[in-house]
């Protein structure tokens, strides 16, 4: 029994940070960032706002969009790489803050591929009859990772001062990755397809096929090398001083693997459901970098209309990119009844895959 998307919702913080804001604290320009990433602006939370706050807000919005009461939710799947704290994960907090008491909750740590894996988990719960309604939320607060120290007051336009030499050196050192990220959350409500399978398999709606892949050989392409169980003590001043709490990234390796694996996964889910590439209406891909999206389009043989980008105004919101983009496309009227959509992403680990989905004619008929 395929799962259908009954509603979507997003939560984005109010603080807009443009590339010009970042140029105040590091050696960069708007042109430098745009040409390498496609990002023009991103959003950041105020201090004290956690990932679970954004995820709960997005979940409530998705439930309202679906017209589903919180008491009907059987399970909640949360994907993030930036939990409120190291332990526990955010799922319990999201359950409580969104008023989803009684639902079983899960945390997934597939980073940028987390929401994709969450969709598959939700579909399996529904297909096996273990759940009738599942909320999947992808949320990130990257602000805590970013190496801007006391210069945050400049970034947010709350101080009219020049950064210190140390602040500028530190921010510039990490600009290759720090300019990419933004904060945000997206959620979907998935439900069992009413009435059972479609009488004609060719008109089947909901999640039609999926493929999930992991290759741990590439786990070091992007990682936070410190603050973990390999270290003793788990955290200390020496690791912080060495910058081991910041992400380390092999940009070239990530580009090559993402451009290869996401198109291959899309082709695989199409073949599994007996569709051709020409049947595909939309590819909702992870928004890591416009260069990666361009490469994936060329490899797959589709244009920007089929594989759209929204990284320009949100940045890379990691596990939140797929639901935020899909919500925007729905609002724009681009997900009409019968639309065939492939969700795909690639994340640190390395994890990747695709999920093929067809929008029902109507949820009542679905």
């Amino acid at each position: 029994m395929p799962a259908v998307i009954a509603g979507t919702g997003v939560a984005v913080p109010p603080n807009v940070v443009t590339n010009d804001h970042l140029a105040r604290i590091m050696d960069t320009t708007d042109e430098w960032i745009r040409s390498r990433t496609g990002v023009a602006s991103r959003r950041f939370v105020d201090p004290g706002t956690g990932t679970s706050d954004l995820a709960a807000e997005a979940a409530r919005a998705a439930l309202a969009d679906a017209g589903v009461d919180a008491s009907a939710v059987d399970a909640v799947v949360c994907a993030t790489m930036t939990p409120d704290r190291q332990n526990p994960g955010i799922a319990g907090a999201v359950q409580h803050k969104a008023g989803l008491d009684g639902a079983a909750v899960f945390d997934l740590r597939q980073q940028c591929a987390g929401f994709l894996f969450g969709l598959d988990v939700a579909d399996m719960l529904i297909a096996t009859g273990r759940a009738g309604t599942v909320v999947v939320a992808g949320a990130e607060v990257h602000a805590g990772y970013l190496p801007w120290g006391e210069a945050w007051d400049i970034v947010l336009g709350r101080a009219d001062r020049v950064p210190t030499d140390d602040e500028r050196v530190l921010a510039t050192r990490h600009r290759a990755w720090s300019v990419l990220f933004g904060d945000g959350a997206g959620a979907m409500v998935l439900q069992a397809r009413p009435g059972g399978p479609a009488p004609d398999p060719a008109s089947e709606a909901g999640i039609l096929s999926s493929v999930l892949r992991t290759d741990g050989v590439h786990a070091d392409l992007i990682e936070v090398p410190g603050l973990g169980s390999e270290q003793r003590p788990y955290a200390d001043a020496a690791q912080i001083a060495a910058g081991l709490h910041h992400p380390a990234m092999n940009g070239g390796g990530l580009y090559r693997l993402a451009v290869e694996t996401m198109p291959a996964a899309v082709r695989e889910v199409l073949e599994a459901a007996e569709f051709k590439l020409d049947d595909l209406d939309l590819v909702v891909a992870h928004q890591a970098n416009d260069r990666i999206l361009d490469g994936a389009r060329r490899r797959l043989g589709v244009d920007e209309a089929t594989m759209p980008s929204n990284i320009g105004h949100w940045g890379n919101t990691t596990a939140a990119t797929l639901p935020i983009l899909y919500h925007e496309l729905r609002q724009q009227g681009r997900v009409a009844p019968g639309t065939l959509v492939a969700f795909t992403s690639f994340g640190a680990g390395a994890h990747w895959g695709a999920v093929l989905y067809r929008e029902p004619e109507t949820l009542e008929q679905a």
Side-chain angles (χ1 to χ4, degrees):
M1 184 180 296
V4 298
I5 298 169
T8 60
V10 301
V12 292
N15 301 311
V16 179
V17 173
T18 68
N19 295 339
D20 289 333
H21 287 110
L22 297 187
R24 298 172 184 172
I25 64 163
M26 66 178 74
D27 296 336
T28 193
T29 64
D30 176 64
E31 191 279 333
W32 189 92
I33 297 173
R34 284 180 189 254
S35 65
R36 287 162 175 78
T37 70
V39 180
S41 63
R42 70 287 290 153
R43 303 286 187 100
F44 291 117
V45 301
D46 286 322
T49 298
T51 301
S52 67
D53 295 310
L54 292 183
E57 183 182 344
R60 290 192 298 268
L63 287 167
D65 181 55
V68 173
D69 189 83
S71 62
V73 176
D74 301 303
V76 183
V77 183
C78 294
T80 187
M81 76 166 196
T82 55
D84 298 352
R85 53 190 66 85
Q86 187 63 32
N87 285 300
I90 66 168
V94 173
Q95 180 211 54
H96 174 64
K97 292 175 182 179
L100 303 174
D101 301 335
V105 299
F106 304 84
D107 282 285
L108 297 182
R109 292 295 302 271
Q110 274 71 31
Q111 292 63 254
C112 296
F115 192 88
L116 186 81
F117 276 62
L119 281 180
D120 196 59
V121 169
D123 183 50
M124 286 189 285
L125 288 170
I126 290 169
T128 58
R130 298 295 297 271
T133 301
V134 181
V135 173
V136 184
E140 305 291 352
V141 170
H142 292 112
Y145 265 135
L146 300 175
W148 299 336
E150 297 301 318
W152 267 104
D153 58 353
I154 305 174
V155 172
L156 296 177
R158 297 173 183 174
D160 183 18
R161 69 177 181 89
V162 175
T164 66
D165 290 343
D166 287 345
E167 288 172 338
R168 194 167 193 89
V169 167
L170 179 62
T172 301
R173 183 186 309 154
H174 296 284
R175 67 181 177 179
W177 62 267
S178 68
V179 300
L180 282 165
F181 294 100
D183 299 344
M188 294 182 184
V189 177
L190 281 83
Q191 293 187 309
R193 186 183 193 277
D200 178 6
S203 65
E204 188 69 271
I207 292 179
L208 306 179
S209 62
S210 65
V211 56
L212 304 179
R213 296 282 185 264
T214 297
D215 188 347
V217 169
H218 302 292
D220 61 352
L221 286 177
I222 180 168
E223 62 178 351
V224 178
L227 307 186
S229 59
E230 284 187 333
Q231 312 296 329
R232 192 166 300 177
Y234 182 94
D236 60 16
Q239 293 181 65
I240 302 298
L244 300 183
H245 59 303
H246 294 313
M249 181 173 69
N250 178 339
L254 287 169
Y255 172 86
R256 288 187 291 273
L257 199 56
V259 166
E260 174 187 346
T261 57
M262 289 195 296
V266 170
R267 292 182 183 276
E268 191 171 348
V269 291
L270 284 168
E271 182 179 355
E274 300 184 350
F275 285 101
K276 296 181 172 57
L277 185 62
D278 290 344
D279 298 318
L280 197 57
D281 298 302
L282 284 172
V283 180
V284 179
H286 173 55
Q287 304 290 298
N289 183 308
D290 257 347
R291 285 182 171 179
I292 290 176
L293 288 170
D294 285 341
R297 290 187 193 108
R298 289 193 298 271
R299 182 69 65 95
L300 195 56
V302 299
D303 59 17
E304 190 169 353
T306 302
M307 185 185 285
S309 169
N310 69 351
I311 193 173
H313 54 274
W314 299 124
N316 180 354
T317 55
T318 306
T321 62
L322 295 187
I324 289 176
L325 177 55
Y326 190 67
H327 179 78
E328 287 185 323
L329 293 170
R330 289 182 74 223
Q331 287 187 317
Q332 295 163 11
R334 296 192 58 191
V335 186
T339 299
L340 190 64
V341 183
F343 295 94
T344 185
S345 59
F346 175 91
H351 309 285
W352 69 90
V355 168
L356 189 66
Y357 177 78
R358 175 181 270 167
E359 178 72 2
E361 291 301 321
T362 69
L363 288 179
E364 289 75 19
Q365 298 171 353

